[in-house]
Each structure stands twice: as structure tokens, then as C-alpha cells.
């Protein structure tokens, strides 16, 4: 009898708890009651000036629940599973396409986002590669992936500064290369080096890129993501692959900031655009539109740019910047240096698996 | 009855945070992306990359476990033979670093071992040649030993403390020298602690991916890294779970070992 009680209590209590959660969330996410004035935001880590969240809350009275993720791939299953109904998410280009193709996105009602006019049309046009009719995504930040080199260190090694991806296969750079530890970025270098598209779905081209990456591995000091910045500042390596958004920090932080130089390789590179989107299962769509509109305000976008330091697509914010920032070529490169650049595309699960397996082969060699 | 009720929260905890997650791993591990039953995820361990990663993980964690054991046993003996006060003070000093976050301590090793790091800085000052320390299997083993050594010392120290001095003295009286006492008295009596220490070092070392990422520069792919890649980069939870199930087999083996040798739970350090 006692045992029976124990078991039933063990089983019923979680049920009650779950039921409690269920009912409370359904009531809080119901009609536009005042108690329900919430907004669930899912963004990259360190990808907003947090005072902006406070300002938004103060101005609109909407309570923001703010969560963070580290990779697009980590975010996707969370949104797909729908355990938490996020209202606004900030994925990258190819992931927006994947979410769109998996029918996870809601069309944004742009009547509620009048500040969209502040976004430079150039970026909306670029966004059409993953959002053909500009219905789902509002550009937030953009940038390029390029080579960061340490001028002094290269002089010591007697190596000319790199200008193209294939320079990262130079044997004199033994142990001096920091590669990106993310699948598509790493393969971008291998593919672009051979003159292929970084969105290649051709198995032969992917295999060639894989073989090149394996051949390069002995020269590579480490595969890293965010640590490139600090390792380059610390003088650990001569060249590293880095996101352009890190450059402002490097130039400000390092005494030898002038010594660390960013180049966009001649073969072209990945031009990435991170955008705000609204998932289909969002419970507070209008709040999300208010949020996106708020972030498009020039002064708010400027504040976020100063914090995140990834280039802003916001024309209004750009005009507010100091002239030397506007002329900083690492952050706002000339349009012709971008001519060979591509925006990363989602290639379907099968091709994704192909890349995934190929990357494991590179890593296990 | 009241006592049984008290176990309610604990049972809830176990259901919510052990049983349900485990069931989810089993579910994901045995299904494909469309949700149909498949063994492919578990069997994918036999691909050359996965086998290589598994062997490498087994090898590195074996080496670190042995090093931990060799370092920990004498230390535990020294600690036991000191009087209670200073012994526990040393144990306290020993555990102190564990109060700091594991990631931070591993990052600190990165700073020590880097090419332009502290150790090479000191070597440079002494006009000695720079060493290539970081991003090698050695650095990973070092990280494992450093992080998991306390888990070896504590269980061994615990069982050694329970050995009666009279047992040792009797062995001496009967003419056993130090090594004979060690081999025939100390060791057999401390087996539960050794086994539990080995498990507590071997299992986390086998599954780690942070240490190999930070100190191995992600150039050395361990089975933990493969699983991590499936989750964070491949968006393939099914294969990640399938491989986790394979790893669980090794963990179950070590649990079985504990159950066999440590019947009274004497070796549990905590």
C-alpha cells in the first residue's frame, strides 16, 4: 500500500506540475491581456547592447525574455521543436533560408515596421538570396570573413602578406595558421581557393576541398571560433581567419592594432547577413514587430553597432557615425572588394550531411 | 510513511532530470530524422573516423587514468599518515582549486602552454629553446590529469583512512618489509577506492570535449568532440544520441566494475 502511494505520488506530482505549467502558459500567452505583454527573444551571445533591452521595455511596457545561443545549428532544433515559442530570432542568411524552407517563419507585417526605410536597400537586395521577396527577414548586421595577419610576424618569417585563400597553404606558415572551426566557413576557404562556389553541391568539388583542408592541417595551429581574436592579439599566430566584426575591437584593444591587418581574399569570401525573423509559432507577433522596428531606429542601431561592432546595414545609423569609422575599410569595405563574395546558402539536409562527414574526416586525420 | 514522502522530491528530480533525458537520448539514438526506428546511428560508430576518435579517446583517458593513479596513491598514503589536522588541511588545499570553474582552469592552462604563453616566456628568459606544448595529445592528457586528479585522490584517501593502523603494524611485526606491506596489505585493502577513483577519472576523461577543444586546438578529434559536433554543428541529434549510447556502454562497464569491487560503497569520496 505504502509503495503504491509512493508510486502514485511520484507519478501524479510531475503531471500536476506539467499541467500547471501548461495552463499558466496558455493563459499568459492568450489574448492581448496586459499580463501577457511579453516578448521572447532568441539572439546570439553578446549581440546587443543590453541597455537597448531596458530602453525597449521602458518605452513599450513589454517584458522581454532574452535567451542566447552560440551557433545557428544549435538554435535550429530549438525553434523546430517549438518547446519555447520565441517571438524574435536573429539567425544568419543560410539558416533563415533553411527555416523558411522548413516552414518555420512567419511573414512580417511591414506596416508595423516603418523604420525599415532606414535599412540600406543594398542589403535588402542581398537578403533576397535567402528571402527572395523580402518577406521574412530584416537585416541587423553584416560582415565578411577574411584573413587577419600579423605584419611583423610575417616579416620575421619572410612571407609576403596574404592576398588570397591559397596563401594559407604556404608551407612556410607551419603552425602559424588559425582556421575557423565551423564547417561551412572552413569549407568556404577550400572551395573558394579552387575557384568553386562556396555553396557547391557537387560532391567532387567538396571532396577536392576536403583533400585540400586535410593537406593544410599539418600547417594549422588550431581550429578555433571566437578565440582567433585573442590569440591574434596575443601574437600566437601569424595568420587567422576572422569575422570582420572583430576588427574594431582588435584595432582598439591591441597596442599593435596597426600591426594586425584584415584582408578580403581575392577569390572572394562569405558575405554574411544576420537578420531578425519571426518564427511561425510566435505568440506575440506584434510585439516582435515593435521590437524589430525599435532596433531599426538609427540611434538604437548605432548604439548596437558600437557594442557589437559588426557592420550595420542601417543607413541612418551609418550617417551618425564618425568619419573615421565610416572610412574603416575592414568594417565598411569598398563595394568592388566584395565583387566575388557570396552569401551562404542552405543546401538541403543531404548536402549538409556531406559537409558534416567531410569535416569529420578532416578533423580525424 | 512520512519518511517515504520525504523521498518524493528526490524521485521527482530523478524522473525529471535523469530518466526522462535518458529516455530522450535512447529515443533519438534509435530513430532517424523522420522518427522511424533505425540502428544506423548506433552502428555509425564503426565508420573509420568514429572508430579512430573512440580509440584515441580510450587511449588518452587510459593514459591519464594511469598517471592519476600513480600520482594519487602515494599522495593519499602521505595524507593518511599525517595526523588528522594537517592531513585534512592538505586535502582542503588540494580541493581548493575545484571551487573555481573547470572551464576557467582549463583556459588558464591554455595561457600557460601557448606559444607566447607563460611557460615559453620563462624558457625564453632563461635562453632555452621554446617548446611546442599546446595543441598536442600531451596537452590534452595534462588537462585531464589536472582536472580529474582530485577525483582519484579522494576515494583512495577515504579507504586508506579506514585501514586500521594495527593491520599495518601486524604486517610489520610478522616481518613484512615496506614493499611487501604495500603489495599484500595496502593494495588489497584499498581496491574499492582505486576502482572508484579509476571510474571517476576514466569516465569524464572519455567523454570530455572541452579539454580537447581548448588544449588540443580542435585538431585532435575525440569521441566527445564527434558527439558535440553532431549536436552543435551538424544539427544531427539522432547520430549524436546514437553515439552517446555507445559511450554509455563503456560507462555501464565501469559501473559494473564498481558494483563488483566496492560493495559497501567505501570508496565513494563524496
Amino acid at each position: 500500500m505504502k509503495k503504491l502511494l509512493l508510486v502514485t505520488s511520484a507519478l501524479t506530482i510531475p503531471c500536476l506540475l506539467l499541467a500547471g505549467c501548461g495552463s499558466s502558459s496558455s493563459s499568459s500567452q492568450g489574448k492581448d491581456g496586459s499580463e501577457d505583454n511579453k516578448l521572447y527573444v532568441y539572439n546570439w551571445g553578446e549581440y546587443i547592447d543590453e541597455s537597448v533591452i531596458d530602453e525597449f521595455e521602458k518605452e513599450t511596457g513589454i517584458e522581454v525574455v532574452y535567451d542566447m545561443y552560440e551557433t545557428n545549428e544549435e538554435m535550429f532544433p530549438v525553434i523546430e521543436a517549438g518547446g519555447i515559442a520565441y517571438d524574435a530570432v536573429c539567425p544568419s542568411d543560410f539558416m533563415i533560408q533553411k527555416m523558411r524552407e522548413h516552414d518555420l517563419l512567419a511573414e512580417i507585417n511591414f506596416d508595423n515596421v516603418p523604420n525599415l526605410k532606414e535599412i540600406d536597400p543594398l542589403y535588402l537586395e542581398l537578403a533576397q538570396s535567402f528571402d527572395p521577396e523580402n518577406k521574412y527577414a530584416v537585416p541587423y548586421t553584416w560582415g565578411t570573413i577574411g584573413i587577419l595577419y600579423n605584419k611583423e610576424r610575417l616579416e620575421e618569417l619572410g612571407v609576403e602578406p596574404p592576398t588570397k585563400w591559397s596563401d594559407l597553404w604556404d608551407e612556410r606558415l607551419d603552425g602559424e595558421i588559425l582556421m575557423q572551426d565551423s564547417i561551412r566557413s572552413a569549407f568556404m576557404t577550400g572551395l573558394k581557393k579552387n575557384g568553386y562556389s562556396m555553396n557547391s553541391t557537387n560532391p567532387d568539388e567538396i571532396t577536392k576541398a576536403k583533400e585540400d583542408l586535410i593537406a593544410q592541417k599539418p600547417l594549422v595551429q588550431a581550429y578555433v571560433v571566437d578565440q582567433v581574436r585573442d590569440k591574434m592579439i596575443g601574437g600566437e599566430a601569424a595568420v587567422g581567419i576572422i569575422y570582420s566584426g572583430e576588427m574594431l575591437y582588435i584595432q582598439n584593444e591591441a597596442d599593435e592594432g596597426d600591426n594586425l591587418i584584415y584582408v578580403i581574399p581575392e577569390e572572394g569570401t562569405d558575405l554574411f547577413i544576420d537578420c531578425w525573423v519571426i518564427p511561425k509559432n510566435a505568440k506575440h507577433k506584434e510585439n516582435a514587430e515593435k521590437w524589430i522596428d525599435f532596433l531599426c531606429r538609427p540611434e538604437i542601431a548605432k548604439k548596437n553597432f558600437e557594442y557589437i561592432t559588426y557592420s550595420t546595414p542601417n543607413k541612418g545609423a551609418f550617417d551618425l557615425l564618425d568619419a573615421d569609422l565610416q572610412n574603416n575599410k575592414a568594417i565598411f569595405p569598398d563595394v568592388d572588394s566584395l565583387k566575388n563574395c557570396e552569401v551562404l546558402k542552405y543546401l538541403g539536409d543531404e548536402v549538409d550531411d556531406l559537409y558534416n562527414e567531410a569535416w569529420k574526416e578532416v578533423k580525424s586525420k | 510513511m512520512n519518511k517515504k514522502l520525504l523521498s518524493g522530491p528526490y524521485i521527482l528530480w530523478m524522473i525529471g532530470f535523469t530518466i526522462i533525458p535518458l529516455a530522450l537520448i535512447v529515443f533519438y539514438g534509435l530513430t532517424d530524422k523522420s522518427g522511424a526506428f533505425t540502428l544506423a546511428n548506433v552502428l555509425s560508430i564503426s565508420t573509420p573516423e568514429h572508430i579512430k576518435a573512440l580509440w584515441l579517446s580510450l587511449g588518452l583517458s587510459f593514459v591519464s587514468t594511469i598517471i592519476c593513479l600513480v600520482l594519487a596513491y602515494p599522495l593519499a598514503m602521505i595524507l593518511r599518515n599525517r595526523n588528522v589536522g594537517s592531513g585534512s588541511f592538505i586535502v582542503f588545499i588540494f580541493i581548493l582549486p575545484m571551487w573555481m570553474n573547470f572551464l576557467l582552469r582549463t583556459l588558464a592552462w591554455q595561457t600557460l602552454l601557448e606559444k607566447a604563453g607563460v611557460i615559453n616566456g620563462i624558457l625564453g628568459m632563461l635562453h632555452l629553446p621554446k617548446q611546442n606544448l599546446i595543441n598536442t595529445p600531451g596537452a590534452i592528457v595534462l588537462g585531464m590529469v589536472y582536472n580529474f586528479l582530485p577525483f582519484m585522490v579522494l576515494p583512495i584517501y577515504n579507504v586508506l583512512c579506514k585501514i586500521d593502523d594495527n593491520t599495518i603494524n601486524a604486517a610489520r611485526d610478522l616481518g613484512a618489509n615496506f614493499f611487501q606491506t604495500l603489495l599484500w596489505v595496502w593494495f588489497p585493502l584499498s581496491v574499492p577506492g582505486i576502482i572508484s577513483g579509476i571510474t571517476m577519472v576514466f569516465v569524464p576523461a572519455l567523454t570530455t570535449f572541452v579539454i580537447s577543444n581548448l588544449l588540443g586546438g580542435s585538431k585532435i578529434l575525440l569521441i566527445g568532440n564527434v558527439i558535440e559536433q553532431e549536436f552543435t554543428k551538424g544539427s544531427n541529434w539522432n547520430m549524436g544520441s546514437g553515439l552517446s549510447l555507445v559511450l554509455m556502454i563503456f560507462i555501464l562497464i565501469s559501473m559494473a566494475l564498481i558494483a563488483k569491487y566496492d560493495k559497501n560503497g567505501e570508496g565513494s569520496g563524496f
Side-chain angles (χ1 to χ4, degrees):
Chain A
M1 185 57 209
K2 276 184 182 172
K3 258 193 186 153
L4 190 69
L5 264 175
L6 188 71
V7 172
T8 38
S9 67
L11 287 177
T12 46
I13 293 171
C15 294
L16 286 174
L17 282 177
L18 287 176
C21 295
S23 60
S24 68
S25 60
S26 61
S27 70
S28 73
Q29 298 189 342
K31 306 271 150 47
D32 307 292
S34 55
E35 56 166 5
D36 160 48
N37 214 359
K38 282 192 175 171
L39 177 72
Y40 289 80
V41 178
Y42 202 27
N43 194 3
W44 297 87
E46 292 191 23
Y47 223 48
I48 195 163
D49 183 333
E50 297 207 358
S51 70
V52 167
I53 304 176
D54 297 337
E55 260 179 72
F56 177 76
E57 285 186 324
K58 211 175 280 172
E59 189 178 304
T60 59
I62 295 169
E63 186 191 334
V64 176
V65 181
Y66 191 83
D67 289 330
M68 289 176 269
Y69 57 86
E70 221 178 312
T71 64
N72 281 304
E73 289 80 2
E74 177 189 327
M75 174 275 301
F76 179 78
V78 176
I79 299 294
E80 193 183 30
I84 308 175
Y86 285 106
D87 303 309
V89 187
C90 183
S92 307
D93 32 53
F94 74 101
M95 190 49 76
I96 294 173
Q97 185 194 353
K98 181 173 179 180
M99 292 170 88
R100 187 171 58 81
E101 285 172 18
H102 281 73
D103 197 24
L104 295 174
L105 296 184
E107 284 184 29
I108 297 176
N109 178 0
F110 286 102
D111 294 340
N112 295 334
V113 191
N115 284 325
L116 186 73
K117 65 175 192 298
E118 301 290 347
I119 303 289
D120 191 328
L122 174 69
Y123 301 101
L124 288 172
E125 201 177 301
L126 280 168
Q128 283 168 5
S129 74
F130 51 88
D131 177 15
E133 292 164 61
N134 288 122
K135 281 198 296 200
Y136 299 97
V138 177
Y140 181 54
T141 52
W142 69 278
T144 51
I145 297 177
I147 304 174
L148 180 67
Y149 64 88
N150 184 324
K151 204 164 62 180
E152 246 170 55
R153 187 85 190 95
L154 284 183
E155 276 165 19
E156 276 170 37
L157 293 166
V159 182
E160 324 58 66
T163 55
K164 45 192 193 303
W165 291 119
S166 53
D167 290 338
L168 296 184
W169 270 257
D170 186 331
E171 287 185 1
R172 291 170 295 176
L173 292 173
D174 188 7
E176 295 285 348
I177 303 173
L178 294 172
M179 279 291 282
Q180 274 288 325
D181 189 14
S182 63
I183 301 175
R184 294 290 299 275
S185 306
F187 271 93
M188 183 267 290
T189 60
L191 288 165
K192 281 285 187 190
K193 164 180 182 276
N194 289 304
Y196 306 140
S197 160
M198 65 189 245
N199 293 315
S200 174
T201 55
N202 179 339
D204 296 337
E205 294 181 357
I206 297 172
T207 307
K208 175 76 177 88
K210 178 189 81 187
E211 282 162 4
D212 279 352
L213 288 171
I214 291 173
Q216 186 205 28
K217 196 177 174 191
L219 307 178
V220 174
Q221 182 188 106
Y223 295 92
V224 284
V225 186
D226 294 332
Q227 292 171 4
V228 181
R229 182 179 82 183
D230 294 334
K231 282 187 187 266
M232 289 300 293
I233 292 175
E236 272 295 297
V239 291
I241 296 183
I242 198 164
Y243 289 94
S244 59
E246 306 287 353
M247 283 314 297
L248 209 55
Y249 178 89
I250 290 174
Q251 289 163 351
N252 291 340
E253 189 71 9
D255 304 332
E256 29 178 353
D258 303 336
N259 193 22
L260 295 173
I261 295 162
Y262 180 83
V263 283
I264 295 176
E266 285 165 14
E267 299 102 325
T269 184
D270 174 4
L271 193 156
F272 62 87
I273 309 177
D274 291 349
C275 302
W276 285 101
V277 296
I278 302 178
K280 200 152 217 176
N281 63 348
K283 297 278 195 315
H284 313 89
K285 187 160 179 281
E286 280 184 19
N287 286 354
E289 283 156 355
K290 273 186 205 163
W291 167 257
I292 294 171
D293 188 52
F294 187 78
L295 293 178
C296 286
R297 278 188 204 168
E299 54 287 12
I300 298 295
K302 172 174 179 268
K303 213 169 175 181
N304 278 330
F305 166 73
E306 281 165 353
Y307 181 84
I308 314 171
T309 68
Y310 278 75
S311 321
T312 175
N314 194 305
K315 218 166 39 211
F318 180 81
D319 293 339
L320 293 175
L321 295 175
D322 295 338
D324 42 322
L325 261 180
Q326 289 176 341
N327 295 325
N328 191 325
K329 290 290 169 249
I331 314 279
F332 298 107
D334 295 328
V335 179
D336 3 312
S337 66
L338 299 176
K339 63 180 185 295
N340 290 328
C341 291
E342 291 178 79
V343 178
L344 202 62
K345 281 192 183 142
Y346 166 61
L347 306 170
D349 284 341
E350 269 170 45
V351 182
D352 264 1
D353 285 346
L354 211 60
Y355 277 100
N356 199 10
E357 291 306 312
W359 184 234
K360 262 192 282 192
E361 278 181 56
V362 174
K363 287 301 240 4
S364 73
K365 275 284 155 17
Chain B
M1 182 63 216
N2 279 339
K3 272 190 188 163
K4 292 248 162 134
L5 268 183
L6 282 179
S7 66
Y10 189 64
I11 289 174
L12 258 183
W13 180 275
M14 288 214 298
I15 291 174
F17 300 111
T18 310
I19 295 175
I20 294 176
L22 263 180
L24 281 176
I25 292 179
V26 173
F27 173 76
Y28 274 112
L30 296 179
T31 52
D32 62 15
K33 277 181 183 166
S34 63
F37 176 81
T38 173
L39 281 174
N41 297 318
V42 178
L43 296 178
S44 71
I45 189 69
S46 60
T47 61
E49 295 84 41
H50 293 173
I51 282 286
K52 192 180 170 200
L54 183 64
W55 273 117
L56 203 58
S57 305
L58 285 169
L60 291 184
S61 23
F62 180 74
V63 171
S64 352
T65 311
I66 296 293
I67 295 177
C68 277
L69 183 61
V70 170
L71 289 176
Y73 204 89
L75 179 68
M77 280 179 77
I78 294 168
L79 290 178
R80 179 200 177 271
N81 290 339
R82 301 195 66 96
N83 55 42
V84 183
S86 64
S88 49
F89 181 69
I90 298 174
V91 172
F92 170 73
I93 294 286
F94 207 77
I95 300 176
L96 204 58
M98 289 172 71
W99 293 3
M100 223 193 307
N101 184 287
F102 154 82
L103 268 180
L104 285 181
R105 283 182 287 136
T106 310
L107 274 173
W109 269 111
Q110 200 175 30
T111 324
L112 288 174
L113 298 176
E114 271 174 349
K115 272 166 102 182
V118 176
I119 292 176
N120 274 326
I122 294 170
L123 286 178
M125 261 163 42
L126 301 172
H127 301 289
L128 293 168
K130 287 199 171 186
Q131 300 295 314
N132 189 15
L133 302 167
I134 198 150
N135 306 332
T136 57
I140 297 180
V141 169
L142 177 72
M144 289 176 174
V145 170
Y146 173 75
N147 278 306
F148 304 134
L149 187 58
F151 296 106
M152 184 69 94
V153 175
L154 291 177
I156 296 179
Y157 171 68
N158 261 15
V159 282
L160 290 188
C161 280
K162 286 180 188 145
I163 299 175
D164 196 330
D165 278 339
N166 289 331
T167 318
I168 312 297
N169 293 338
R172 287 291 175 85
D173 278 352
L174 293 169
N177 63 28
F178 175 74
F179 289 103
Q180 284 169 322
T181 330
L182 191 68
L183 194 61
W184 300 110
V185 180
W186 287 103
F187 273 150
L189 286 175
S190 55
V191 163
I194 293 175
I195 295 291
S196 139
I198 287 177
T199 322
M200 285 166 78
V201 172
F202 187 72
V203 171
L206 184 65
T207 52
T208 187
F209 61 88
V210 176
I211 296 176
S212 47
N213 267 351
L214 291 179
L215 299 180
S218 287
K219 283 181 81 179
I220 298 156
L221 195 72
L222 301 186
I223 191 71
N225 299 94
V226 175
I227 295 173
E228 185 219 1
Q229 186 188 321
E230 293 302 340
F231 278 95
T232 61
K233 302 201 183 90
S235 284
N236 191 345
W237 289 16
N238 303 86
M239 190 183 278
S241 307
L243 293 173
S244 303
L245 287 178
V246 176
L247 260 193
M248 255 180 240
I249 294 172
F250 289 92
I251 294 165
L252 284 176
I253 292 173
S254 36
M255 303 272 277
L257 271 181
I258 284 207
K260 188 161 180 250
Y261 288 100
D262 187 15
K263 291 203 176 68
N264 305 324
E266 290 174 49
S268 47
F270 304 97

